C-alpha cells in the first residue's frame, strides 16, 4: 500500500504519528509544498523599490529558504517516522500539488488546519478543504493534538 | 511644432514605462538620463531650474545610498539574524505572538534604516524565523512588505519621500518625528488588527514543530551601537542644520572600514552598494517631472487639489496622493504633488506623505500600472495571486489612510506649535 503524507508546517507531526499507528507496513511518501505566493509578494515589494538595493534579491533568498525549510521538514518527518520514506518537495499552489500527488497513491494523510477549537467545517483551511474535496484516493484526516469534544458543536436548530 | 509641455509629458510616460518594463534588465537611468537631456535641450526646463532641482534631490539620494550600505553591512554583521533569533525565542511557538514581534521589528527597521532594509534584508530573515518557529510564513512575510510602506511614516529617514518632504518643508528630525508619531502608531494598529482578522486561519496554527536547535547568534554590538549613534546623529544634525546624508555616510563609513578590515566585504561590493545608476535615475526623473509640473501639470492639478488645512482637505490630499502613487509609483507622485502641497502648508504636505507611503499597499507593488505591465510584458516566472493581494490591500489601505490622516490632524492640533 502506498501512503502519501502532506508534511505541512505545524501540523505534520500528528500526520506522521498517525501513519506509524495505522499503516506500519505501508510504502510512505512524504510531500512538502512551497507556496509561490510568498515569493511573489516578496518579489513585488522589491519591484516597488525601483532598482534600489540591487545587490540582494529577497525573492531568491526566500525561494532558497523555502526549499531548505521544506527539505528540513521532510528530514525531520522521516526521522520521526523511524523508517525510510520517499521525500518530495513541490512548488506552486499547495492544494493543486497535493491533489495531483494523491492520484499516484492509495491513501492520503493530512491534518485539519483551520479553527481547531471546535468540531466543524471551519476546522479545514481553504487549501485543505480543496484537497479533501478533490483527492482521487482514500483520505485520512487527522486532528493535530486532541480533538475538541462533541459539546463544541452548536445545538441543532429548533 | 510640438510644445515643450507635450514633449515633457511624453518623455515622463516613456521614462516610467521603461522603469517598469526594464527591457533587457537595463538600469532605469538608461531612459531617464537621455529624457532629462532632451527636456533640457528642447526648452522644457531651464538649466538653472534643472540644477536647482538636482541640488534638492542630491542629498536625498546620497542619504539613500549611504543608508543602503549601512543596512547591508549591519546584515553582514548578523544584526538581522540576531533579530530573527530574538523573535523566534520570544514568540514561544505562538504565531500570533510572532506576528506582533514581526510588526515591532519591521516597524523599527523601516523607521530607522528605511523601507529598503525591511524589504530586502528583513523579509528573508522573517521567512526563516517563521520556519524555525514552525508556523506558516504568509502572514509574517506579508506583514514585512506591508510595513515597509505603511511603517515608513515616522522619521524623515524612513522613506525617500519623507526626506523630500521634510527638506521642502524645512522640518527637523525631532519635529517631524513628533508630529508623525501618532499617525505612524495608528497605521500600525490598523494594519495589525486587519492582519489578525485576514490571516486568522494561518495564525491559529502553531507550535506543532519544535524549534530547531540553531546555533545562537550573539548581538553584533558594534553594528548595533553604530546604528544607535547614527540615529542620535540624525537628531543632532537637524539642530546643527547638517544634511542627514552626512550622518548616514559617517555611520556607513565606520562600518565599512571595519567590514573591510575583517574582510566581510570587498571594496567593489561597497561601490556597487552605492548604486550610482539609481542616483542618476532619480536626478533625471526629478528633472523630467519638474518640467512636466512647470509646463501645465501644476495648473491642472491646481484645479483638483483642495484648499485650506481642514481635516477634509487633508483627507483629500492623502486620497489624491494615494491614487497617484498607485498609478505612477510613489516617487514620481511625491515629486508631482509636493510643490503644490508645500504651498498650502505643513498639514497638506504631511497628508501627501501619508497617501504616498501607505497608499502603495493598495496594489502589491505600489503601482497598478507596474503590476499590470510587468505581468503582461515579461514577468511570468512568479504566479502572483492578484486577488489575494488586492483584498488585503483594500482591507487595510483605505482604513489606514483615513485613520492616519485623522491622527495627523489631531497631532497638528497638539504639536502644531513646534513646527
Amino acid at each position: 500500500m502506498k501512503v502519501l503524507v502532506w508534511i505541512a508546517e505545524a501540523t505534520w507531526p500528528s500526520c506522521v504519528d498517525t501513519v506509524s499507528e495505522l499503516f506500519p507496513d505501508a510504502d510512505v511518501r512524504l510531500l512538502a509544498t512551497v507556496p509561490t505566493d510568498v515569493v511573489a509578494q516578496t518579489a513585488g515589494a522589491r519591484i516597488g523599490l525601483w532598482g534600489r538595493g540591487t545587490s540582494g534579491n529577497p525573492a531568491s533568498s526566500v525561494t532558497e529558504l523555502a526549499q531548505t525549510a521544506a527539505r528540513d521538514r521532510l528530514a525531520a518527518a522521516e526521522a520521526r517516522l523511524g523508517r525510510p520514506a520517499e521525500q518530495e518537495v513541490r512548488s506552486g499552489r499547495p492544494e493543486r500539488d497535493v491533489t495531483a500527488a494523491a492520484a499516484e497513491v492509495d491513501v492520503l494523510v493530512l491534518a485539519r488546519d483551520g479553527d481547531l477549537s471546535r468540531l466543524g467545517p471551519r476546522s479545514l483551511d481553504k487549501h485543505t478543504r480543496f484537497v479533501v474535496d478533490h483527492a482521487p484516493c482514500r483520505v485520512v484526516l487527522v486532528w493535530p493534538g486532541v480533538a475538541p469534544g462533541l459539546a463544541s458543536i452548536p445545538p441543532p436548530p429548533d | 511644432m510640438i510644445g515643450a509641455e507635450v514633449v515633457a509629458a511624453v518623455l515622463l510616460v516613456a521614462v516610467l514605462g521603461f522603469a517598469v518594463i526594464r527591457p533587457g534588465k537595463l538600469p532605469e537611468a538608461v531612459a531617464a538620463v537621455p529624457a532629462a537631456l532632451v527636456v533640457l535641450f528642447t526648452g522644457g526646463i531651464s538649466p538653472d531650474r534643472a540644477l536647482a532641482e538636482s541640488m534638492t534631490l542630491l542629498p536625498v539620494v546620497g542619504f539613500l545610498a549611504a543608508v543602503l550600505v549601512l543596512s547591508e553591512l549591519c546584515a553582514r554583521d548578523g544584526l538581522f539574524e540576531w533579530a530573527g533569533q530574538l523573535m523566534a525565542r520570544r514568540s514561544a511557538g505562538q504565531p500570533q505572538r510572532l506576528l506582533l514581534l514581526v510588526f515591532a521589528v519591521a516597524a523599527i527597521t523601516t523607521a530607522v534604516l528605511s523601507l529598503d532594509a525591511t524589504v530586502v534584508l528583513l523579509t528573508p530573515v522573517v521567512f526563516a524565523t517563521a520556519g524555525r518557529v514552525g508556523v506558516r510564513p504568509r502572514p509574517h512575510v506579508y506583514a514585512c512588505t506591508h510595513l515597509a510602506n505603511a511603517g515608513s511614516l515616522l522619521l524623515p529617514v524612513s522613506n525617500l519621500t519623507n526626506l523630500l518632504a521634510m527638506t521642502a518643508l524645512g522640518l527637523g528630525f525631532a519635529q517631524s518625528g513628533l508630529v508623525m508619531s501618532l499617525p505612524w502608531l495608528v497605521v500600525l494598529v490598523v494594519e495589525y488588527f486587519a492582519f489578525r482578522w485576514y490571516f486568522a486561519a494561518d495564525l491559529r496554527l502553531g507550535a506543532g514543530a519544535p524549534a530547531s536547535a540553531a546555533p545562537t547568534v550573539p548581538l553584533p554590538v558594534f553594528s548595533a551601537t553604530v546604528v544607535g549613534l547614527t540615529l542620535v546623529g540624525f537628531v543632532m544634525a537637524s539642530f546643527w542644520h547638517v544634511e542627514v546624508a552626512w550622518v548616514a555616510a559617517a555611520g556607513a563609513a565606520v562600518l565599512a572600514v571595519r567590514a573591510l578590515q575583517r574582510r566581510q566585504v570587498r571594496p567593489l561590493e561597497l561601490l556597487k552598494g552605492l548604486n550610482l545608476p539609481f542616483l542618476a535615475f532619480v536626478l533625471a526623473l526629478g528633472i523630467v517631472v519638474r518640467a512636466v509640473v512647470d509646463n501645465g501639470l501644476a495648473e491642472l492639478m491646481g484645479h483638483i487639489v483642495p484648499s485650506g488645512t481642514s481635516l477634509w482637505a487633508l483627507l483629500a490630499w492623502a486620497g489624491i496622493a494615494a491614487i497617484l502613487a498607485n498609478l505612477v509609483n510613489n516617487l514620481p507622485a511625491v515629486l508631482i504633488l509636493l510643490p503644490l502641497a508645500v504651498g498650502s502648508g505643513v498639514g497638506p504636505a504631511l497628508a501627501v506623505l501619508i497617501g504616498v507611503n501607505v497608499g502603495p499597499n493598495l496594489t502589491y507593488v505600489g503601482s497598478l500600472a507596474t503590476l499590470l505591465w510587468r505581468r503582461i510584458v515579461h514577468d511570468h516566472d512568479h504566479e502572483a495571486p492578484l486577488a489575494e493581494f488586492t483584498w488585503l490591500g483594500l482591507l487595510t489601505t483605505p482604513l489606514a489612510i483615513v485613520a492616519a490622516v485623522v491622527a495627523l490632524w489631531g497631532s497638528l492640533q497638539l504639536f502644531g506649535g513646534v513646527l
Side-chain angles (χ1 to χ4, degrees):
Chain A
M1 183 187 280
K2 279 189 177 174
V3 175
L4 177 72
V5 194
W6 185 5
I7 303 299
E9 295 104 346
T11 58
W12 65 265
S14 313
C15 294
V16 171
D17 294 348
T18 302
V19 172
S20 297
E21 200 179 322
L22 299 184
F23 308 104
D25 305 317
D27 292 336
V28 179
R29 192 160 147 199
L30 305 170
L31 174 67
T33 51
V34 175
T36 45
D37 64 340
V38 170
V39 177
Q41 171 80 348
T42 315
R46 183 169 173 271
I47 293 166
L49 294 179
W50 293 81
R52 279 129 68 184
T54 42
S55 57
N57 184 352
S60 37
S61 357
V62 164
T63 307
E64 275 174 38
L65 287 166
Q67 293 285 343
T68 311
R71 282 194 295 271
D72 289 351
R73 216 156 59 227
L74 289 174
E78 188 174 353
R80 190 177 178 106
L81 187 67
R83 64 181 200 259
E86 198 184 326
Q87 299 182 10
E88 191 188 357
V89 179
R90 290 197 185 193
S91 301
R93 291 176 174 272
E95 75 281 17
R96 302 270 171 181
D97 291 338
V98 177
T99 308
E104 300 154 19
V105 297
D106 303 300
V107 179
L108 167 67
V109 179
L110 77 172
R112 293 180 187 269
D113 55 354
D115 181 0
L116 303 178
S117 65
R118 65 187 64 193
L119 300 170
R122 284 175 184 273
S123 62
L124 293 181
D125 192 21
K126 59 181 177 190
H127 293 325
T128 313
R129 160 71 56 200
F130 180 93
V131 176
V132 169
D133 287 345
H134 296 84
C137 66
R138 282 176 284 179
V139 173
V140 173
L141 193 52
V142 177
W143 272 98
V146 182
L150 283 176
S152 65
I153 304 176
D158 295 329
Chain B
M1 177 77 190
I2 303 167
E5 62 273 22
V6 178
V7 173
V10 169
L11 284 172
L12 177 60
V13 172
V15 167
L16 294 178
F18 188 93
V20 163
I21 299 162
R22 288 188 60 212
K25 302 207 168 176
L26 288 166
E28 290 86 345
V30 169
V33 172
L37 292 174
V38 171
V39 168
L40 204 57
F41 288 123
T42 54
I45 190 167
S46 70
D48 289 348
R49 192 101 164 111
L51 187 67
E53 184 69 18
S54 299
M55 293 317 280
T56 314
L57 290 173
L58 205 57
V60 173
V61 183
F63 165 81
L64 187 75
V67 91
L68 282 176
V69 171
L70 184 75
S71 39
E72 172 69 29
L73 292 175
C74 283
R76 285 179 191 235
D77 209 24
L79 190 63
F80 293 94
E81 285 296 318
W82 175 82
Q85 183 183 270
L86 186 79
M87 288 187 283
R89 207 170 47 234
R90 290 282 167 88
S91 66
Q94 301 296 321
Q96 296 179 351
R97 198 184 286 186
L98 180 63
L99 185 70
L100 192 63
L101 288 162
V102 168
F103 259 70
V105 172
I108 293 168
T109 305
T110 303
V112 178
L113 290 173
S114 91
L115 71 97
D116 304 70
T118 303
V119 168
V120 178
L121 302 171
L122 185 67
T123 308
V125 170
V126 163
F127 183 87
T129 304
R132 201 183 301 166
V133 174
V135 302
R136 288 181 176 168
R138 285 171 75 241
H140 313 287
V141 170
Y142 280 42
C144 274
T145 56
H146 258 236
L147 288 190
N149 288 316
S152 72
L153 285 176
L154 184 65
L155 300 176
V157 296
S158 313
N159 198 330
L160 210 54
T161 54
N162 299 4
L163 268 175
L164 287 167
M166 300 314 171
T167 310
L169 288 168
L171 277 188
F173 198 86
Q175 294 164 309
S176 52
L178 186 67
V179 175
M180 293 306 265
S181 54
L182 202 56
W184 180 68
L185 281 172
V186 164
V187 166
L188 294 182
V189 169
V190 169
E191 288 268 350
Y192 178 73
F193 284 104
F195 266 65
R196 283 289 297 266
W197 182 80
Y198 187 82
F199 289 110
D202 293 287
L203 290 170
R204 268 193 291 256
L205 279 185
S212 62
T216 310
V217 184
L219 169 69
V221 179
F222 190 86
S223 298
T225 310
V226 170
V227 170
L229 288 176
T230 308
L231 193 60
V232 175
F234 289 152
V235 180
M236 302 311 289
S238 68
F239 289 120
W240 294 334
H241 304 289
V242 176
E243 293 285 357
V244 284
W246 292 115
V247 181
V254 171
L255 283 189
V257 168
R258 181 169 173 267
L260 285 169
Q261 274 176 349
R262 296 163 67 111
R263 296 181 193 280
Q264 281 176 323
V265 68
R266 290 196 299 272
L268 203 63
E269 287 176 312
L270 276 178
L271 196 67
K272 214 175 141 196
L274 287 173
N275 214 348
L276 298 176
F278 178 69
L279 193 138
F281 167 66
V282 175
L283 293 182
L285 177 70
I287 291 171
V288 177
V289 169
R290 172 56 72 178
V292 176
V293 170
D294 285 356
N295 285 292
L297 189 64
E299 204 184 325
L300 190 73
M301 293 297 289
H303 297 298
I304 302 167
V305 297
S307 55
T309 55
S310 66
L311 176 59
W312 297 113
L314 298 187
L315 283 168
W317 275 108
I320 292 167
I323 292 167
L324 205 55
N326 276 281
L327 287 177
V328 296
N329 199 296
N330 61 2
L331 192 54
V334 86
L335 289 171
I336 289 169
L337 286 175
L338 206 55
L340 297 163
V342 168
S344 299
V346 175
L350 296 180
V352 165
L353 277 189
I354 291 173
V356 296
N357 290 357
V358 184
N361 281 339
L362 203 58
T363 56
Y364 91 114
V365 293
S367 156
L368 187 60
T370 307
L371 178 65
L372 296 176
W373 293 355
R374 275 196 91 93
R375 279 175 67 81
I376 292 163
V377 178
H378 76 129
D379 205 19
H380 289 294
D381 38 340
H382 296 306
E383 191 186 359
L386 187 56
E388 186 148 88
F389 293 124
T390 312
W391 275 119
L392 185 60
L394 283 174
L395 175 72
T396 57
T397 308
L399 195 61
I401 290 176
V402 171
V405 172
V406 173
L408 170 69
W409 184 80
S411 193
L412 286 169
Q413 310 302 312
L414 282 172
F415 308 118
V418 302
L419 302 178

